C-alpha cells in the first residue's frame, strides 16, 4: 500500500547539516519527499505534538529539545512508508539501533536521536496535518 508518513530531522541533525544526507537516504530507499520545510517550533507546539508522551518522565526534556532549534519536517510517500521509515530510522536508542540505520549512523543519544517518524498511518495523518495544514 502506498502510504504517507511524517518525518522530522531533529535539531541535533539539522545543526550538523545532515539534512541532505538524510534526504538522499530516504530517496534511495523508496521514500519520495513530497513536502519539506524548515521550521522552529515553540515549546507549546512541541508539547502539543508529543502529547501522547505527556505522562512520561522524559516529556518535559523532549519538548524542550524539539523546540531548541530548527527542525526539518517532511511528508514521505511510498510503499509501506510508515514501516519502511521506521526501519530506516532504527531503534529509538541509537546504541540499540541496527547497523545501516539513520539513528545508528547519526544519533548521539536516546534524546538526540536525529529523526522522528510516525508510528502508524493514522498518526501519520495527524502529524502531517499538524505541520502542513
Ligand atoms: P520513537 O521516536 O522511536 O517513536 P518514542 O517512544 O515515540 O520513540 O519516543 C519519542 C521520543 O522521545 C524519542 O525519539 C526520544 O527522543 C525520546 N525518548 C524516548 N524514550 C526516552 C527515554 O527513555 N529517555 C529520554 N528520551 C526518550
Ligand atoms: Mg514515537
Amino acid at each position: 500500500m502506498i502510504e504517507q508518513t511524517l518525518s522530522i530531522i531533529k535539531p541535533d541533525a539539522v545543526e550538523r547539516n545532515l539534512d541532505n544526507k538524510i534526504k538522499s537516504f530516504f530517496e534511495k530507499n523508496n521514500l519520495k519527499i513530497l513536502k519539506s520545510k524548515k521550521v522552529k517550533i515553540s515549546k507549546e507546539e512541541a508539547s502539543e505534538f508529543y502529547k501522547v508522551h505527556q505522562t512520561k518522565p522524559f516529556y518535559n526534556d523532549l519538548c524542550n529539545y524539539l523546540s531548541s532549534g530548527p527542525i526539518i519536517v517532511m511528508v514521505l510517500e511510498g510503499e509501506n512508508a510508515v514501516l519502511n521509515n521506521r526501519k530506516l530510522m532504527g531503534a529509538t536508542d541509537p546504541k540499540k539501533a541496527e547497523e545501516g540505520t539513520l539513528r545508528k549512523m547519526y544519533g548521539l543519544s536516546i534524546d538526540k536521536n536525529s529523526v522522528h517518524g510516525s508510528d502508524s498511518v493514522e498518526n501519520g495523518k495527524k502529524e502531517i496535518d499538524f505541520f502542513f495544514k
Side-chain angles (χ1 to χ4, degrees), residues 1-5 30 34 76-82 121:
M1 262 252 292
I2 299 287
E3 299 170 351
Q4 292 186 355
T5 189
N30 302 317
L34 293 189
L76 306 181
E77 185 180 83
E79 191 68 32
N80 296 319
V82 170
V121 171

Side-chain angles (χ1 to χ4, degrees), residues 20-129:
N20 286 333
K21 281 184 180 149
I22 293 173
K23 284 179 176 183
S24 16
F25 186 76
F26 286 141
E27 282 166 339
K28 266 189 296 197
N29 288 283
N30 302 317
L31 289 171
K32 199 175 214 196
I33 299 163
L34 293 189
K35 293 181 186 174
S36 173
K37 65 180 179 185
K38 191 188 252 188
V39 292
K40 189 171 183 301
I41 60 171
S42 64
K43 170 128 189 222
E44 290 65 38
E45 290 169 312
S47 308
E48 179 63 29
F49 180 77
Y50 272 133
K51 213 165 157 183
V52 289
H53 295 301
Q54 60 188 331
T55 60
K56 309 270 174 67
F58 56 82
Y59 180 60
N60 190 50
D61 287 346
L62 179 60
C63 299
N64 280 330
Y65 177 60
L66 199 72
S67 57
S68 67
I71 57 175
I72 295 170
V73 292
M74 293 167 287
V75 178
L76 306 181
E77 185 180 83
E79 191 68 32
N80 296 319
V82 170
L83 196 61
N84 187 14
N85 182 38
R86 296 292 309 190
K87 280 189 179 154
L88 296 174
M89 285 164 51
T92 306
D93 183 352
K95 284 189 294 221
K96 294 177 187 156
E98 270 185 66
E99 282 303 327
T101 61
L102 287 169
R103 284 168 165 171
K104 176 73 179 187
M105 292 190 280
Y106 305 129
L108 301 173
S109 57
I110 191 162
D111 45 328
K112 297 183 175 176
N113 59 5
S114 303
V115 281
H116 165 85
S118 310
D119 60 10
S120 66
V121 171
E122 194 191 346
N123 286 335
K125 285 191 180 123
K126 289 185 194 155
E127 293 183 354
I128 289 169
D129 277 354

